[in-house]
Amino acid sequence: MDPLKICLVSSEVAPFAKTGGLADVTAALARHLHKKKHDVRLVMPFYRRLRGQYDFTPLAQLQDIPVRLGARTYHFSVSTAKLPKSKLDVYFVRCPDLYDREGIYTQDEDEHLRFALLSRAALDMCQWTQWAPDIVHCNDWHTALMPLYLKTLYAWDKLFARTRTVLTIHNIGYQGVVGSDKLGELGLESEKRFLYQEDLDEGRVNFLKTGILYAHALTTVSVTYAREIQGDELGMGLDALLRKRSDSLFGIVNGVDYDEWNPKSDKLIPHRFNERDLRGKEANKQALCEKFGLEFDARAPLIGVVSRLTAQKGFELLPDILPVLLHRDDVRLVVLGNGEERYENYFNWLAGAFPKKVAFQAGFDNPLAHWIEAASDMFLMPSRYEPCGLNQMYSLRYGTVPIVRRTGGLADTVAPWNAQTREGTGFLFDEFTPEALLEAVRRALAAWRDDGAWSQLMQNGMARDFSWEHQVDEYIALYRKLVPAH
Ligand code: ADP
Ligand code: GLC
């Protein structure tokens, strides 16, 4: 079969710009599509943090291209750099007016324009290079206007006559809602009839909702989350619309990039190990405890957390149980997290109250994330909701037993431990309450004290395979279904 031309557009791509799993997923998906010989163009912004990093090559034919966004004309240029561990070129949209800022995301007034420009630039790039994509694959709210742009501003161009669109929802909690006074800037002033009328009446435009209306296919990152977002509890206001589009909504569980996350070959951890020889795991634990000044005891389990610190991740459940648990049980806790101050304050307080048992590091630190995965005995993800979650899958590969809430991708990837049959890979709880979480932690601690059970749990987890080799085929099958026959 002919290779597909796929234009994949994202606000984050690892390792260039990452705040969470979106970056890992777009990089791995592009890498694996390319490996299967598809013609992929992966497009992202050139953020300030990329200056002086990597080896960028400007594309001569894509310099200083004007894009009109309302009254203002922005200019963008494109450079490429190789995606690490691949021969694939990543396309970086340079527009210093919009991207030369401190963070990947900002609270600035023109945040919507930063990603409207990315969406427009990706399509303009196709035009300037006369490259007709079979698939435009957009991700989350940032690029969710692309299907509507194709239906309106670009509808005249035959280049896109056969183009089909896929929108992947990585997180429905972020929808990109702006005032309808921004329609002009978005280039959609004369396209009002295509927008969701009730929102317009209330003075709003919702990027993600617009994408849900117009993408040919919608995907989300686990089978359970695909079902959950069609209900009012987790649909976050978009459930009715998603139910209407349920025939075009597919759950495809994220894969893991085992080139990056593999205890046998991980260069970011002090001691490598494998399922037959776990001595390196204990050495990592001891070294991590030493680094943070924690009291090391092989018999005391180390619980790890690596997370964005937001309400989604369920840390509200912790204050009611952790102090008592830490007081009564001989456990250690290491937390790496980046995000809202209230959670940082809490973990700082906890580390101060239990200096020999708890360590907290604020900020984003990829090598430390790997080390915590490798060193911990248990990994905690009490998420309120979790579209997929990658850390639980990384944990399994590192022999670290996940304790997770049964929601979204966590429900799809962690199998409950059954002490009788000795099957399962982790511990799950249902109710979003401190009691339910505590009960799951207690079950984990009971298994920890039973050597045979714990070894089996670790082996079960390490044997699971969530590699992209399989998951990429699900995306390819979907793309093929959408692309019209010649
Ligand atoms: P989400 O995308 O909701 O943040 P995921 O579990 O899908 O959750 O992905 C999180 C990714 O981001 C993982 O690769 C994890 O290791 C990484 N990560 C999260 N917080 C940090 C941090 N503070 N430092 C380093 N890596 C982090
Ligand atoms: C989102 C979700 C997370 C998912 C990631 C990648 O940020 O919160 O669950 O794994 O996207 O799809």
Side-chain angles (χ1 to χ4, degrees):
M1 259 188 285
D2 288 346
L4 294 163
K5 290 199 182 74
I6 303 150
C7 179
L8 180 62
V9 192
S10 174
S11 58
E12 296 186 27
V13 176
F16 303 107
K18 167 166 169 177
T19 69
L22 171 64
D24 298 30
V25 169
T26 49
L29 177 59
R31 193 179 288 129
H32 283 84
L33 288 169
H34 177 69
K35 232 177 168 174
K36 301 228 163 178
K37 308 275 185 267
H38 295 287
D39 182 3
V40 187
R41 289 198 180 177
L42 175 57
V43 188
M44 65 173 288
F46 186 91
Y47 299 110
R48 178 190 290 172
R49 61 184 56 207
L50 292 169
R51 262 196 320 213
Q53 313 268 341
Y54 307 100
D55 199 6
F56 293 104
T57 312
L59 284 184
Q61 66 197 124
L62 292 171
Q63 294 299 307
D64 235 4
I65 313 251
V67 179
R68 245 178 94 88
L69 289 172
R72 191 154 167 202
T73 299
Y74 291 88
H75 289 83
F76 76 88
S77 301
V78 178
S79 296
T80 61
K82 295 281 178 221
L83 185 67
K85 295 189 185 150
S86 166
K87 293 203 166 70
L88 180 68
D89 281 321
V90 182
Y91 291 70
F92 293 85
V93 176
R94 287 177 181 258
C95 178
D97 282 352
L98 292 171
Y99 303 135
D100 189 12
R101 305 200 186 161
E102 188 60 38
I104 294 175
Y105 304 117
T106 75
Q107 305 285 334
D108 299 343
E109 278 285 292
D110 57 357
E111 186 73 352
H112 58 291
L113 290 183
R114 300 175 75 229
F115 297 108
L117 181 98
L118 174 65
S119 308
R120 295 280 309 269
L123 297 176
D124 287 5
M125 253 175 60
C126 296
Q127 292 180 314
W128 282 77
T129 53
Q130 281 298 293
W131 185 78
D134 295 303
I135 296 290
V136 165
H137 187 159
C138 47
N139 293 278
D140 276 348
W141 75 265
H142 316 94
T143 46
L145 290 184
M146 292 184 83
L148 179 59
Y149 281 148
L150 280 168
K151 211 178 155 60
T152 54
L153 307 186
Y154 295 81
W156 61 272
D157 193 343
K158 290 199 184 61
L159 187 78
F160 298 114
R162 296 166 47 80
T163 301
R164 296 295 177 265
T165 51
V166 176
L167 166 64
T168 296
I169 302 170
H170 295 263
N171 195 330
I172 212 166
Y174 304 89
Q175 299 182 3
V177 180
V178 297
S180 49
D181 56 320
K182 305 284 194 286
L183 272 181
E185 297 176 3
L186 296 171
L188 294 170
E189 186 64 43
S190 45
E191 316 295 345
K192 280 194 178 137
R193 65 191 181 288
F194 289 108
L195 289 153
Y196 204 76
Q197 289 308 312
E198 269 171 47
D199 284 348
L200 281 189
D201 293 344
E202 288 168 18
R204 287 193 307 265
V205 176
N206 181 320
F207 277 48
L208 190 65
K209 200 187 234 181
T210 309
I212 293 173
L213 279 171
Y214 294 112
H216 291 100
L218 307 168
T219 71
T220 187
V221 288
S222 68
V223 177
T224 296
Y225 195 59
R227 193 178 61 243
E228 288 170 341
I229 54 177
Q230 296 181 57
D232 66 347
E233 195 189 328
L234 292 182
M236 305 210 180
L238 303 183
D239 43 303
L241 190 57
L242 286 164
R243 283 196 297 277
K244 276 199 197 134
R245 296 225 52 200
S246 63
D247 288 348
S248 310
L249 169 61
F250 308 93
I252 303 180
V253 178
N254 286 332
V256 172
D257 197 337
Y258 289 122
D259 288 339
E260 295 287 327
W261 295 90
N262 185 346
K264 287 180 202 153
S265 53
D266 193 332
K267 296 203 172 57
L268 299 175
I269 59 177
H271 306 277
R272 280 167 279 288
F273 58 95
N274 61 58
E275 61 281 8
R276 283 182 308 282
D277 182 356
L278 290 159
R279 281 171 301 175
K281 185 164 178 68
E282 182 146 325
N284 285 319
K285 175 173 166 182
Q286 183 159 7
L288 190 70
C289 288
E290 275 161 19
K291 171 182 163 66
F292 284 113
L294 301 183
E295 191 185 318
F296 171 73
D297 178 347
R299 287 161 307 172
L302 171 64
I303 305 178
V305 172
V306 177
S307 186
R308 288 185 297 117
L309 299 179
T310 66
Q312 172 194 346
K313 301 296 178 179
F315 298 122
E316 271 80 12
L317 298 182
L318 302 186
D320 278 347
I321 65 164
L322 278 186
V324 180
L325 189 77
L326 286 159
H327 185 67
R328 287 205 195 140
D329 292 75
D330 203 15
V331 299
R332 307 285 177 274
L333 175 70
V334 174
V335 179
L336 167 63
N338 200 20
E340 291 175 34
E341 209 178 307
R342 56 185 165 141
Y343 302 110
E344 290 191 6
N345 291 343
Y346 174 70
F347 286 120
N348 272 323
W349 170 83
L350 197 68
F354 297 93
K356 295 279 169 215
K357 289 185 163 183
V358 179
F360 171 57
Q361 180 154 319
F364 192 90
D365 184 338
N366 186 47
L368 183 59
H370 283 247
W371 191 357
I372 293 176
E373 283 290 4
S376 302
D377 300 299
M378 305 171 185
F379 197 89
L380 191 60
M381 290 179 81
S383 306
R384 209 180 267 278
Y385 73 92
E386 196 61 76
C388 180
L390 296 171
N391 277 305
Q392 80 283 8
M393 294 192 273
Y394 301 157
S395 297
L396 291 172
R397 181 47 59 107
Y398 285 78
T400 302
V401 175
I403 303 172
V404 304
R405 180 145 179 267
R406 197 189 310 272
T407 182
L410 299 175
D412 293 356
T413 57
V414 180
W417 169 247
N418 179 325
Q420 266 76 51
T421 62
R422 308 235 138 192
E423 287 165 343
T425 56
F427 297 89
L428 295 102
F429 64 101
D430 289 282
E431 293 296 308
F432 188 73
T433 60
E435 294 74 27
L437 169 59
L438 183 61
E439 199 263 326
V441 174
R442 290 248 168 269
R443 276 186 278 135
L445 292 175
W448 169 257
R449 286 188 286 267
D450 173 347
D451 262 359
W454 200 259
S455 309
Q456 187 65 54
L457 256 164
M458 290 171 75
Q459 294 298 330
N460 292 352
M462 292 181 93
R464 293 301 307 269
D465 182 1
F466 295 101
S467 73
W468 270 107
E469 308 292 337
H470 316 297
Q471 300 316 91
V472 72
D473 287 338
E474 294 203 31
Y475 281 101
I476 296 169
L478 172 65
Y479 297 155
R480 293 246 182 247
K481 217 162 66 181
L482 295 174
V483 170
H486 275 284

